[in-house]
Amino acid sequence: MSDDRRLDVLRAIVEDYVSTQEPVGSRSLLDRHQLGVSPATIRNDMAALEDEGYIMQPHTSAGRIPTDKGYRMFVDRLATVKALSPAERRAIETFLTGAVDVDDVVQRSVRVLAQLTNQVAIVQYPSLTRSTVRHIEVVALEGARVLLVVITSSGRVEQRIIELVETPTEHLIGEIRSRITHATVGQRLPEASLRLADMIETFAPNDRPIVTAIVTTLSQTFTNERSDERIAVGGTANLARFGSDFDTAIKPVLEAIEEQVVLLKLLGEATGGLTVRIGTETGHESLSSTAVVSSAYGLDDQALATLGTVGPTRMDYPATMAAVGAVARYVGRMLADN
Amino acid sequence: MSDDRRLDVLRAIVEDYVSTQEPVGSRSLLDRHQLGVSPATIRNDMAALEDEGYIMQPHTSAGRIPTDKGYRMFVDRLATVKALSPAERRAIETFLTGAVDVDDVVQRSVRVLAQLTNQVAIVQYPSLTRSTVRHIEVVALEGARVLLVVITSSGRVEQRIIELVETPTEHLIGEIRSRITHATVGQRLPEASLRLADMIETFAPNDRPIVTAIVTTLSQTFTNERSDERIAVGGTANLARFGSDFDTAIKPVLEAIEEQVVLLKLLGEATGGLTVRIGTETGHESLSSTAVVSSAYGLDDQALATLGTVGPTRMDYPATMAAVGAVARYVGRMLADN
DNA sequence: TGCTGGCACTCTCCATGGTCAAGTGCCAGT
DNA sequence: ACTGGCACTTGACCATGGAGAGTGCCAGCA
């Protein structure tokens, strides 16, 4: 028995099942693919594939459907990369080009990704902790209020307003601004946070309460988990494609979306390239019929955050992977230009 | 035939149907409510209510379910206001108290509202056009870049970075800042935008290109539709309660959520108090089995934006209305304190 | 005039059972 | 090593036939 043909059969099963959503039998498989052998031969191959755990039967007299292991094999070794059509490339480009700020880039990418893949799209906002400080501004408002603004390398702007116990002199504000700028610009945020702490000592004891208040708030902003974990979700209407059983197929995904922490874990710390997590590989019981395709994006070589899609395990992997990869590249480029 | 009793029957039908989700017949209705009459009498009343369009039968030999008109009557004249439990009040309070900025207030309210009502919750961000300018900052960054920051009365902070054709002098920046501040602080944003336009003339011709660039960007920020229409959505997992038929019950709602414009229309320009839109009253064909409960929220008497919930028409109106009202009041208070 | 008990009727729901088609496993033959 | 053939399994589909819930209506009663 030829090993090659057996893998061809597996590929054919995955492709047919993905497009028809129905268990595929030996006959209908031959109708769609020229394998040059008879149904009986296919049946033997199928039996072997089933023994090895790549496919299974929903019930005795039905066709076969791929298992998670089967999809995994398909993704790793059988799928041929499907290039995006020029129209799709253009769609991504024109859609993203109009963005005016980081927020807008994220919103738009989530839309375009959902539309391209017909799945639920997730885009994580550029991580604060992985960015560097580009600019810091300290501005006195009315009374003892002070506005702090941080601009990061990815173009993200974070601001905080605090109320001091006493109104600072203009000179002090200027001094604080320039020393903070000197200490932190160009640093990664976590490191900048450390530098700030060291800086308090360099001020006169009288000024320290004010300096401490400002520095503490900035430090919090630098290491703010909440804003580091922000994500945008889109394409939830595509949940229709997940299956007809609401409780087992759709509800778990909606719940995961509500729990942003779960979503972030799903996207995972994709180190660089495309990551595909199939069924139980997601590490969540309730998402066993779900697959996640994700990719890091960033400026040049440096990963800023992650984006991806969530769909049923029976998805068109080559197309989805191509779309996720392409959007990740474009988003990275957009943020680099900024 | 007593009109009073007929309305009692309608109330009983609504209450039973909401809690059981099944058509209610004359017998089971008497089991749960002491109406002091026989089933036959109830049947006569039901027939009359059906003639008037308040209830209907899904099929000949089934119980009755309320029509949109029936729910409307219930909401307008029959429902007794259900006060929130102390535990619920406390939940809202503790949940919202921890918020650090406007963004956080909105995120938290959407969560608490979804949890209280077990429905899909929607909160519109405080409207820019209905706020006043509290503070404006113009800061020179490196090169010819300038950072503009607007702080509104509701505590919202908008910022924009622009690149000028030429590096402005520090003196010019200071001048621009003070004149803009003078012209706009305390004004509503649309009016502030008008004032800005008039201001350009007061500068020396040489400075006008720079002033114009800054003023134009600020003006755009003041009247930015995109950020005026931002909304947060939560509790989508509660869509499970909408019904079992995905395509007719759930998908339309998901699609409405994707189309933020539709959502905003749904929330509507609730002028002040609680607004309830039932079924076709939403003005959307596909949402005919959906009801929207919304309320404006704001500082004191001034409406800032709207929040509410989307649920099936067979919802617990008194409870939902109480929750929406309470959250709206708390959110208004939170933003006023700011 | 309004309420009640009774009765025939209608319609959905569900369990039953039989047929059909798809698909399988296996075996003997090439 | 592949193929054709055949017996077998099983879910999907459909018609059938109670059972149960609920109705409308009528005649009788306060």
Side-chain angles (χ1 to χ4, degrees), chain B residues 40-62:
Chain B
T41 309
I42 299 295
R43 284 204 283 280
N44 288 330
D45 290 348
M46 282 177 163
L49 285 168
E50 184 161 10
D51 281 349
E52 296 167 45
Y54 293 115
I55 56 179
M56 60 166 288
Q57 289 178 285
H59 50 260
T60 324
S61 79

Side-chain angles (χ1 to χ4, degrees), chain A residues 271-334:
Chain A
T271 50
L274 232 41
T275 306
V276 180
R277 250 161 274 221
I278 299 166
T280 54
E281 296 172 10
T282 58
H284 288 266
E285 194 77 31
S286 54
L287 297 179
S288 56
S289 58
T290 309
V292 179
V293 177
S294 59
S295 165
Y297 69 85
L299 317 168
D300 307 323
D301 53 339
Q302 174 192 354
L304 266 185
T306 312
L307 56 76
T309 67
V310 178
T313 47
R314 68 170 128 59
M315 69 165 77
D316 182 347
Y317 289 95
T320 306
M321 291 167 72
V324 169
V327 172
R329 272 195 304 282
Y330 274 102
V331 171
R333 211 174 300 163
M334 291 288 303

Side-chain angles (χ1 to χ4, degrees), chain A residues 68 239 242 245-259 262-263 266 277-292 310-313, chain B residues 237:
Chain A
D68 288 359
L239 281 168
F242 277 52
D245 187 4
F246 188 93
D247 280 349
T248 66
I250 298 176
K251 201 174 169 198
V253 182
L254 283 175
E255 278 167 353
I257 291 175
E258 294 280 307
E259 286 289 331
V262 175
L263 266 202
L266 277 186
R277 250 161 274 221
I278 299 166
T280 54
E281 296 172 10
T282 58
H284 288 266
E285 194 77 31
S286 54
L287 297 179
S288 56
S289 58
T290 309
V292 179
V310 178
T313 47

Side-chain angles (χ1 to χ4, degrees), chain B residues 18-39:
Chain B
V18 164
S19 73
T20 66
Q21 315 228 40
E22 273 175 12
V24 7
S26 51
R27 170 144 319 160
S28 44
L29 193 136
L30 280 170
D31 289 349
R32 305 167 120 263
H33 301 80
Q34 282 74 38
L35 291 171
V37 290
S38 81

Side-chain angles (χ1 to χ4, degrees), chain B residues 7 14 32 36 44 53 66 69 73 82 93 104 127-129 139 154 160 205 239 246 257 281 288 293-294 305 320 328:
Chain B
L7 293 181
V14 172
R32 305 167 120 263
N44 288 330
K69 189 177 171 189
M73 169 70 95
K82 199 183 286 180
E93 202 159 352
D104 208 15
S127 161
L128 276 184
T129 56
V139 181
S154 58
R160 211 52 52 99
L239 282 168
F246 187 93
I257 291 174
E281 295 172 10
S288 56
V293 177
S294 60
T320 305

